[in-house]
């Protein structure tokens, strides 16, 4: 059992990543690249109402773009149909009033996430180490407690001794059970039926018997899944833990939650969307934005994919969007019942990101690293999202699960007021007056409707799991939800694109 915390997720500023001028140039390149890719592809889309290709790809996120890259490298023709006016899917850079960018979606990478790292390296997108200097804050029962992340207990929040002991036992138990779950087919685990009959909440109630331990596990759950423990199958949680590794390194809960040596270890210079923007640029006019797909019809030996403004005829189709959105496409002939029933039962979790911008990262002068773990408020976890050169300060907070759903219908002004109230509670009156504020609410995004990942309740994986990746005729499935490693993460999306490209090439 490591001494590191279940809740060691911090966000990031880097020492020594780039000079100020280079960072500014990178920011400008992001904006210019996004505009250029979108404009060029939009012009092509307007000029060409029909295309005939080997493979039509639905979705211009990391999964779809990676599949396209590999198929083109193998000499195949492709068309990538993206509903939005931008590429990246659940990965997006939000422009700031000061000319910078901040990440509105997928942001961090870490050890064993080697496929997203290799992709970024190939595109010349640099990473910088997540800032982890200074003390975390625990806000619990109305009391604010700073605590060191490098002491005897590592980054474990300083709850009572009984709670720490109980949480350690629970974490060890989860890791041990996860080792018994095959990542490519979790529904075949020896105890799959037993684990898939119960929610994560019911299991925690029986095992996290000390209230402070239950608090730690609840916060870990919402920070990992953006879902409440009652919404998740225990088997799904165990699979997610098992998948937090690669072929040679078993997954652990600690790797999911940690910063140093964990999934939050690195960020991308210029923002994470720079990766799909640069990848799309290598594909040129094969990427068609503003083209939401409406129907996929089999006609003779080919498929006709109809999107707004364009119709594509293809020998094979890759659907690389979240399962709930894949279900909204009309298929002819109908999908098999097992596949359709699966997509009916994999809803998106609920998440938003709120980022307040300040002239400086003032909390650092107080010896704080910007990370909070809290038992109250709209924001129960915060992170320092400042740029590598710390030229301005950025506090990012996740709005997750029940708290996100409560605010779905609220105005941005109402959300801003609620978020800043929490920031003041954690960091003092300086947090009350940011120079700007940006908000990304994935539940309200037309072509995502939640995030960061689709989740499975009890009974879903054991009854319908085999349909997750199984092709339907010439239709193949990609997206982070289909990955056997790092499902729900950018790395999982890239892995799924690489896997589906091999699958399609073998079938052509």
């Amino acid at each position: 059992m490591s001494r590191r915390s279940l809740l060691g997720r911090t966000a990031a500023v880097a020492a020594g990543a780039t000079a100020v001028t280079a960072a500014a140039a990178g920011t400008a390149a992001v904006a210019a690249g996004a505009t250029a890719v979108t404009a060029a592809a939009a012009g092509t889309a307007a000029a060409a109402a029909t295309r005939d290709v080997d493979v039509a790809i639905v979705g211009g996120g990391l999964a779809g773009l990676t599949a396209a890259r590999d198929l083109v490298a193998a000499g195949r023709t492709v068309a990538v149909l993206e509903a939005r006016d931008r590429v990246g899917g659940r990965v997006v850079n939000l422009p700031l009033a000061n000319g910078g960018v901040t990440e509105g979606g997928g942001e961090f990478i870490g050890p064993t996430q080697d496929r997203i790292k290799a992709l970024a390296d190939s595109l010349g997108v640099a990473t910088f180490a997540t800032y982890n200097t200074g003390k975390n804050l625990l806000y619990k029962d109305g009391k604010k407690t700073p605590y060191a992340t490098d002491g005897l207990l590592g980054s474990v929040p300083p709850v009572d001794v009984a709670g720490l002991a109980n949480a350690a036992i629970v974490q060890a138990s989860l890791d041990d059970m996860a080792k018994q779950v095959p990542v490519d087919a979790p529904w075949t685990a020896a105890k799959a039926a037993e684990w898939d009959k119960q929610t994560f909440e019911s299991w925690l109630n029986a095992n996290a018997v000390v209230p402070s331990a239950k608090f730690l596990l609840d916060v870990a759950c919402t920070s990992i899944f953006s879902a409440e423990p009652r919404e998740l199958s225990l088997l799904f949680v165990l699979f997610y833990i098992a998948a937090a590794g690669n072929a040679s390194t078993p997954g652990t809960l600690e790797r999911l939650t940690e910063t140093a040596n964990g999934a939050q270890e690195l960020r991308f210079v210029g923002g994470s969307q720079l990766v799909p923007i640069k990848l799309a640029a290598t594909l040129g006019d094969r990427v068609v934005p503003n083209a939401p797909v409406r129907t996929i019809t089999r006609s003779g030996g080919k498929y006709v994919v109809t999107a707004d403004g364009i119709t594509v005829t293809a020998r094979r189709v890759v659907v690389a969007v979240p399962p709930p959105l894949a279900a909204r496409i009309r298929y002819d002939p109908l999908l098999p019942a097992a596949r359709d029933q699966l997509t009916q039962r994999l809803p998106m979790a609920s998440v938003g990101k709120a980022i307040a911008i300040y002239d400086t990262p003032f909390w650092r002068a107080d010896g704080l690293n910007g990370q909070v773990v809290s038992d109250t408020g709209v924001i129960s976890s915060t992170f320092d999202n400042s740029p590598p050169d710390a030229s301005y300060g950025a506090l990012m907070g996740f709005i997750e699960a029940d708290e996100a759903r409560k605010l779905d219908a609220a105005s941005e002004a109402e959300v801003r007021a609620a978020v800043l109230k929490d920031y003041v509670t954690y960091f003092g009156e300086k947090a009350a007056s940011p120079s700007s504020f940006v908000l990304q609410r994935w539940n309200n995004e037309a072509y995502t409707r939640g995030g960061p990942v689709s989740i499975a309740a009890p009974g879903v994986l054991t009854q319908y799991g085999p349909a997750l990746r199984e092709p339907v005729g010439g239709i193949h499935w990609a997206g982070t939800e289909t990955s056997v490693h790092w499902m729900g993460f950018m790395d999982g999306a890239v892995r799924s694109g690489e896997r589906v490209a091999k699958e399609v090439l073998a079938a052509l």
Side-chain angles (χ1 to χ4, degrees):
M1 171 64 190
S2 167
R3 63 188 179 89
R4 287 229 174 246
S5 166
L6 293 166
L7 303 170
R9 298 182 67 175
T10 64
V13 174
T18 58
V20 174
T21 52
T27 297
V30 172
T35 301
V37 169
T38 301
T44 301
T50 62
R51 294 193 192 183
D52 184 62
V53 296
D54 293 323
V55 185
I57 298 173
V58 181
L62 284 168
L65 294 172
T66 299
R69 174 203 64 181
D70 290 358
L71 290 166
V72 169
R76 302 298 181 175
T77 56
V78 305
V80 180
L81 303 175
E82 169 53 46
R84 295 181 173 94
D85 63 357
R86 63 167 181 84
V87 294
R90 285 167 271 184
V91 178
V92 62
N93 285 349
L94 303 178
L96 301 176
N98 62 12
V101 297
T102 193
E103 297 92 335
E107 178 172 348
F108 303 103
I109 67 170
T112 74
Q113 294 189 10
D114 33 76
R115 301 318 303 151
I116 179 66
K117 183 64 166 59
L119 173 60
D121 288 347
S122 73
L123 295 167
V125 181
T127 57
F128 62 96
T130 296
Y131 184 80
N132 202 29
T133 301
K135 293 185 177 181
N136 290 9
L137 284 176
L138 171 66
Y139 188 82
K140 190 173 185 297
D141 300 326
K143 180 182 177 182
K144 184 165 60 177
T145 306
Y147 63 98
T149 61
D150 56 358
L152 182 63
L153 295 176
S155 52
V156 178
V159 298
D160 55 276
V161 174
L164 291 173
N166 189 198
I169 292 170
V170 169
Q171 177 174 324
S173 297
L174 289 168
D175 285 345
D176 287 344
M177 291 188 292
K179 292 175 183 176
Q180 303 172 47
V181 177
V183 291
D184 59 342
W187 46 88
T188 66
K191 294 185 178 180
E194 174 188 338
W195 292 336
D196 207 30
K197 285 193 297 186
Q198 58 187 303
T199 64
F200 188 39
E201 174 81 8
S202 61
W203 187 86
L204 285 177
N205 286 341
N207 291 274
V209 294
V210 178
S212 55
K214 180 64 160 54
F215 158 72
L216 292 177
L217 272 298
D218 283 347
V219 175
C221 179
T222 54
S223 66
I224 293 169
F225 299 101
S226 296
E228 304 293 339
R230 67 174 186 274
E231 300 179 87
L232 306 172
S233 157
L234 175 60
L235 178 62
F236 177 74
V237 171
L238 296 176
F239 158 65
Y240 214 83
I241 295 170
N246 57 23
S248 61
T249 309
T252 65
L253 180 58
E254 180 182 49
R255 191 173 298 118
L256 281 168
T257 60
E258 281 297 309
T259 300
N261 300 312
Q264 287 67 235
E265 187 171 64
L266 300 172
R267 286 172 66 198
F268 290 109
V269 177
S272 53
Q273 196 192 0
L274 196 54
V275 178
I277 287 172
K278 287 196 168 188
L279 180 54
T282 69
L283 296 168
D285 63 6
R286 299 178 183 90
V287 181
V288 183
N290 300 304
V293 170
R294 307 300 181 182
T295 64
I296 299 175
T297 304
R298 186 163 188 169
S299 179
K302 288 195 172 184
Y303 288 86
V304 179
V305 181
T306 304
D308 290 3
I310 185 170
T311 298
V312 176
T313 303
R315 296 167 63 190
R316 294 273 160 170
V317 178
V318 171
V319 178
V321 298
L325 298 186
R328 297 179 185 184
I329 299 169
R330 184 164 60 84
Y331 300 85
D332 185 11
L334 291 174
L335 294 178
R339 171 68 195 184
D340 192 75
Q341 291 279 314
L342 173 73
T343 58
Q344 291 181 44
R345 289 165 170 80
L346 287 178
M348 299 299 285
S350 299
V351 68
K353 292 177 81 172
I355 304 99
I357 306 303
Y358 303 91
D359 291 341
T360 64
F362 61 85
W363 49 93
R364 297 186 191 177
D366 296 328
L368 301 175
N369 62 17
Q371 180 189 7
V372 169
V373 175
S374 176
D375 67 350
T376 190
V378 169
I379 301 288
S380 59
S381 57
T382 70
F383 305 87
D384 183 329
N385 243 41
S386 308
D389 60 8
S391 55
Y392 57 88
L395 273 179
M396 183 272 285
F398 283 108
I399 311 172
E400 299 182 291
D402 284 350
E403 294 300 329
R405 289 184 282 267
K406 289 176 186 176
L407 294 173
D408 281 343
S411 69
E412 182 164 337
E414 290 170 329
V415 176
R416 183 183 189 274
V419 168
L420 293 183
K421 179 182 178 182
D422 288 342
Y423 288 179
V424 169
T425 296
Y426 306 145
F427 297 103
E429 286 300 322
K430 290 181 181 178
S433 304
S435 59
S436 62
F437 182 90
V438 290
L439 179 65
Q440 178 74 22
R441 289 192 278 183
W442 290 101
N443 290 15
N444 296 346
E445 280 276 318
Y447 298 112
T448 310
R449 301 319 303 262
V453 67
S454 293
I455 56 175
V460 175
L461 289 180
T462 48
Q463 290 297 309
Y464 306 102
L468 186 61
R469 289 182 296 275
E470 183 66 27
V472 176
I475 302 174
H476 303 257
W477 312 105
T480 190
E481 284 84 2
T482 70
S483 184
V484 300
H485 290 111
W486 289 109
M487 174 189 176
F489 290 76
M490 292 184 286
D491 189 72
V494 174
R495 288 175 186 272
S496 78
E498 293 174 339
R499 184 263 308 160
V500 83
K502 293 175 183 176
E503 187 177 282
V504 169
L505 287 170
L508 285 173

